[in-house]
Amino acid sequence: MLNMTLAEFESWSLTLGLGGLMFYMFFIIYDLAKQSNAGKYGYIALFLVLGLGMAGFIFKLVITEMMDL
């Protein structure tokens, strides 16, 4: 049986839940580019602009973890 504290469970749930949502957002961006016939530069622009917010969240998480060490 798993002996997990509530804080550990919340941490894992947050990480997995946000990871799943980010994967789904990338799928939505891909589908949007595909349906609009964006072309190569359109794909790059959509992923760069819309994906930058998710990348910022990931970078913030990495930086805060590095500062805690």
Side-chain angles (χ1 to χ4, degrees), residues 29-42:
I29 294 169
Y30 168 75
D31 193 44
L32 177 68
K34 184 177 165 188
Q35 287 182 2
S36 66
N37 295 325
K40 182 169 71 170
Y41 294 114

Side-chain angles (χ1 to χ4, degrees), residues 1-61:
M1 186 121 204
L2 289 174
N3 293 329
M4 186 180 294
T5 64
L6 182 61
E8 290 173 332
F9 175 75
E10 289 173 350
S11 175
W12 277 99
S13 298
L14 180 68
T15 303
L16 292 175
L18 286 177
L21 284 175
M22 286 181 183
F23 177 75
Y24 186 59
M25 288 170 150
F26 274 117
F27 172 74
I28 290 171
I29 294 169
Y30 168 75
D31 193 44
L32 177 68
K34 184 177 165 188
Q35 287 182 2
S36 66
N37 295 325
K40 182 169 71 170
Y41 294 114
Y43 273 82
I44 292 170
L46 281 170
F47 275 103
L48 183 67
V49 171
L50 296 176
L52 211 53
M54 289 182 282
F57 180 79
I58 293 170
F59 290 144
K60 180 192 72 101
L61 182 67

